[in-house]
């Protein structure tokens, strides 16, 4: 996805949502450049940014109600090691087994997400190949 498509995607979001999504998008695209980026038009998580490998969603970012954003992280869900390592830091933001919800960019634990994406993407892609 080029920057003009992304700019169009965030234009109707609040400034807070747009900047949080842009921050997390950068974390994913820098640390997992092998993933394909698209806007999901499916039934579940419609209008979320999807980061996929071989048509399998690895990450999803999108707006939620109350001016929040959600970040779905399949590598976190699939790794007991990442859950143990970062469970305490992500705990206040987790709304499910792999979904963190943030109200603003200041809440985003950048180093934590960078490590999850950098160290968890490859193993998750391999795991998805064998499902």
């Amino acid at each position: 996805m080029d920057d003009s498509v992304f700019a169009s995607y965030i234009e109707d979001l609040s400034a807070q949502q747009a900047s949080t999504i842009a921050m997390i998008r950068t974390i994913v695209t820098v640390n997992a450049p092998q993933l394909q980026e698209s806007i999901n038009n499916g039934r579940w998580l419609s209008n979320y940014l999807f980061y996929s490998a071989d048509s399998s969603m690895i990450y999803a970012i999108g707006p939620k109600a109350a001016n929040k954003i959600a970040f779905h992280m399949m590598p976190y869900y699939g790794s007991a090691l990442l859950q143990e390592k970062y469970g305490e830091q992500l705990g206040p933001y987790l709304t499910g087994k792999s979904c963190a919800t943030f109200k603003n960019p200041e809440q985003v634990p950048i180093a934590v997400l960078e490590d999850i994406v950098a160290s968890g993407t490859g193993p998750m892609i391999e795991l998805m190949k064998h499902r």
Side-chain angles (χ1 to χ4, degrees):
M1 171 184 310
D2 67 28
D3 288 339
S4 66
V5 172
F6 179 70
S8 177
Y9 172 78
I10 63 171
E11 73 184 355
D12 292 330
L13 300 177
S14 72
Q16 189 170 288
Q17 285 176 312
S19 61
T20 305
I21 288 173
M23 175 187 293
I24 296 173
R25 177 185 188 238
T26 298
I27 290 169
V28 175
T29 58
V30 166
N31 291 285
Q34 71 273 39
L35 299 179
Q36 293 83 46
E37 181 182 45
S38 63
I39 299 172
N40 180 42
N41 295 314
R43 182 175 180 187
W44 306 108
L45 301 177
S46 183
N47 203 37
Y48 273 50
L49 296 178
F50 265 34
Y51 298 88
S52 306
D54 300 320
S55 300
S56 294
M57 187 270 289
I58 307 294
Y59 303 100
I61 312 166
K64 289 185 63 122
N67 210 26
K68 298 177 183 177
I69 69 98
F71 181 42
H72 296 264
M73 306 168 281
M74 295 309 295
Y76 184 79
Y77 173 79
S79 172
L81 177 65
L82 290 173
Q83 291 173 25
E84 182 178 324
K85 188 173 181 181
Y86 295 120
E88 188 173 317
Q89 290 153 296
L90 286 176
Y93 309 109
L94 291 175
T95 57
K97 294 179 181 178
S98 71
C99 179
T101 300
F102 304 105
K103 292 180 184 177
N104 57 59
E106 292 77 28
Q107 288 184 329
V108 177
I110 295 170
V112 169
L113 298 187
E114 286 175 337
D115 188 50
I116 289 170
V117 175
S119 66
T121 301
M124 181 54 61
I125 290 171
E126 288 303 312
L127 184 65
M128 299 290 242
K129 286 180 183 178
H130 302 290
R131 61 181 171 128

